[in-house]
Amino acid sequence: MRSILDNVLPEELFREIQDYALDLYKSEQIKPTILSRVGSRIGRILVPPNELLIRASECLLPVAKEVFGVPNLQTTKPGMGIYYGERASLPNHLDDDAADYSIDMTIIKGTDGGWPITIEGIDYNLEENQATFLKGTKEWQIKQQEDMFNAELEKMQEEQELNKRFDW
């Protein structure tokens, strides 16, 4: 059975990434600049490496080295995928060559039970700040849409806006 690790990022950094993901999700101008042709067909924004994602990858790297048993492992492509809209999904696939080792982590999870990743036919329903580690170029993976996923993001955005307005 595959490992699922809890609290893979420090809480403060994790919350910073959650806020960043919500801001990107809300931002209409980001979608045309980041979406690839494939991304627009499957409802996914691919966020390229930036300072925040590089900091997160630096925190994850020692854990990945231990989980994969590869002491000289290096980060090649820190990034994040944000799924949105009716087409939100990820077809059954193997990662490209740059992702021999991959980490799938839940940043925002809906109250409906979440949106599992299926690896080699087994569903992994991760909680927020949990991750599973896979050999991306060798293990088949898929994410299928859950109807409540987008509704939960919208609800969280509304709550985030209320919290900012009323400073709870």
Side-chain angles (χ1 to χ4, degrees):
M1 186 71 162
R2 174 174 314 285
S3 297
I4 294 177
L5 299 179
D6 296 325
N7 303 313
V8 291
L9 288 177
E11 186 68 21
E12 186 176 317
L13 178 57
F14 179 73
R15 295 292 172 216
E16 196 176 341
I17 290 173
Q18 273 190 320
D19 290 344
Y20 176 68
L22 282 171
D23 289 345
L24 282 177
Y25 182 82
K26 290 188 292 187
S27 171
E28 288 302 314
Q29 73 268 14
I30 197 82
K31 290 177 185 171
T33 61
I34 291 182
L35 280 176
S36 67
R37 284 181 292 184
V38 172
S40 63
R41 287 197 313 266
I42 64 173
R44 178 176 67 177
I45 298 170
L46 289 176
V47 181
N50 60 40
E51 184 270 332
L52 179 61
L53 298 179
I54 290 169
R55 279 193 297 141
S57 72
E58 289 169 353
C59 286
L60 292 169
L61 186 57
V63 179
K65 286 178 178 183
E66 184 176 326
V67 168
F68 292 122
V70 180
N72 62 346
L73 187 65
Q74 295 181 0
T75 301
T76 56
K77 195 166 74 169
M80 178 170 59
I82 299 174
Y83 297 86
Y84 70 94
E86 294 176 359
R87 297 179 183 174
S89 64
L90 187 59
N92 201 18
H93 72 286
L94 294 173
D95 288 342
D96 65 26
D97 290 340
D100 284 341
Y101 300 97
S102 297
I103 300 170
D104 191 86
M105 180 177 162
T106 297
I107 304 297
I108 299 169
K109 180 176 179 167
T111 57
D112 65 333
W115 199 34
I117 182 170
T118 304
I119 304 169
E120 295 289 310
I122 300 172
D123 287 346
Y124 297 91
N125 199 353
L126 305 174
E127 299 295 327
E128 291 181 354
N129 205 8
Q130 280 188 331
T132 189
F133 296 73
L134 62 140
K135 293 184 178 173
T137 57
K138 295 183 177 29
E139 295 181 282
W140 288 92
Q141 56 209 272
I142 184 172
K143 280 186 165 278
Q144 297 181 358
Q145 173 152 344
E146 294 290 335
D147 292 336
M148 294 299 293
F149 180 74
N150 293 305
E152 283 301 321
L153 274 176
E154 289 170 15
K155 180 180 172 189
M156 288 180 76
Q157 290 169 3
E158 290 169 5
E159 289 171 1
Q160 185 183 40
E161 290 302 314
L162 281 175
N163 287 338
K164 285 180 182 174
R165 266 188 265 152
F166 296 108
D167 196 31
W168 301 99

